[in-house]
Amino acid sequence: MFRRSWKSKMTSSERQRGWVFFALYLLVFPYLNSWAQRMLLGEGEPLTAEANVVYYSLLFVLALMVFWSFLKSDFVDLLDWLPENLFGLLAGFAGAEILHFLVDFLPLPVADPIPAQYAAEFALAPLPTAVLVLVLIPVIEEALFRGLVFGSLRRYSRVLAYVVTILGYALACVWRYAVELGDPRYLLLTVCYLPMSAALTWCYDNGGSIWGSVGLHTAINAFVLALALH
């Protein structure tokens, strides 16, 4: 069963604040986080899971402040349209994993560093890493990419909303590795995140609640983490 109508519950003021938050999230906050951790831990010290949890906890609080009305309204939609959101979660998870299995056959020149990073951080700090990967990141990223980007564009064009959101999120997952490591080949890893991005976007569009895609994001991250630990 699909929703007969779809409308984002994000208010115009939330959307305005959200775009500022989105720009800071992509272009400013990561570098402030790296600088702060270098100041506290020293040059050459690895970033710790605990420090990343503190960073993402602050972003989580900011996301709640920026999108509170939207998140609250969409939780009601989750309950009202629970079958659609559960279907989107289950079908999205299956679709994402099938497509990702096929993408794994592509001969990419560099390996995806994210699963190994998750595994290394989990080995050192299991609980903080689980909170980071399964709670904080899904809520923040879904509010920004699906709630803000997709929701804003879908009012004008569903196709444009899908294309921009899917490509934008997949690229956002890897572009900083290309910049920080000075290797543009890491941009090719964008293809690895297209299945996940497409599944999350479709899940939100199908169920109409951001909490459906948050649940799917958590499930996919849990699966990635479990595979990385074996």
Side-chain angles (χ1 to χ4, degrees):
M1 181 182 297
F2 294 88
R3 293 182 63 118
R4 292 183 180 178
S5 62
W6 192 99
K7 183 179 180 181
S8 173
K9 297 296 193 303
M10 189 173 292
T11 65
S12 59
S13 60
E14 284 179 314
R15 193 170 289 112
Q16 292 169 3
R17 296 192 302 267
W19 284 116
V20 175
F21 182 32
F22 184 72
L24 294 173
Y25 176 79
L26 287 180
L27 304 175
V28 178
F29 291 156
Y31 298 101
L32 286 178
N33 180 45
S34 298
W35 173 81
Q37 292 198 37
R38 285 196 303 270
M39 293 297 100
L40 293 173
L41 300 175
E43 291 288 344
E45 291 292 328
L47 302 183
T48 65
E50 291 89 344
N52 282 332
V53 167
V54 172
Y55 168 65
Y56 275 97
S57 294
L58 294 174
L59 293 183
F60 180 82
V61 172
L62 284 175
L64 291 181
M65 294 172 62
V66 171
F67 299 118
W68 176 252
S69 177
F70 165 69
L71 294 173
K72 183 173 63 173
S73 297
D74 260 32
F75 187 76
V76 175
D77 278 356
L78 173 68
L79 301 179
D80 289 344
W81 295 91
L82 190 58
E84 288 81 0
N85 281 280
L86 288 176
F87 173 76
L89 193 158
L90 296 174
F93 183 82
E97 296 311 321
I98 291 171
L99 291 175
H100 191 268
F101 174 78
L102 297 176
V103 167
D104 279 343
F105 287 101
L106 294 177
L108 296 172
V110 291
D112 183 4
I114 294 179
Q117 178 183 336
Y118 283 173
E121 292 185 350
F122 188 86
L124 295 173
L127 182 58
T129 301
V131 171
L132 174 68
V133 173
L134 305 181
V135 179
L136 301 179
I137 289 177
V139 172
I140 296 166
E141 293 187 345
E142 291 311 300
L144 287 172
F145 285 94
R146 254 58 61 177
L148 177 66
V149 177
F150 181 81
S152 297
L153 294 176
R154 197 188 187 283
R155 298 181 300 160
Y156 306 105
S157 169
R158 187 180 187 187
V159 173
L160 178 64
Y162 266 93
V163 171
V164 171
T165 305
I166 291 172
L167 290 177
Y169 177 74
L171 181 61
C173 290
V174 300
W175 74 272
R176 286 190 62 232
Y177 292 100
V179 173
E180 293 177 359
L181 299 177
D183 189 344
R185 294 180 301 169
Y186 279 93
L187 293 176
L188 297 175
L189 295 177
T190 298
V191 70
C192 296
Y193 290 90
L194 292 177
M196 176 182 180
S197 186
L200 291 169
T201 304
W202 177 82
C203 179
Y204 178 45
D205 189 32
N206 176 75
S209 172
I210 199 65
W211 294 105
S213 62
V214 168
L216 176 57
H217 199 143
T218 296
I220 292 174
N221 279 5
F223 187 71
V224 171
L225 181 59
L227 288 180
L229 295 175
H230 288 84

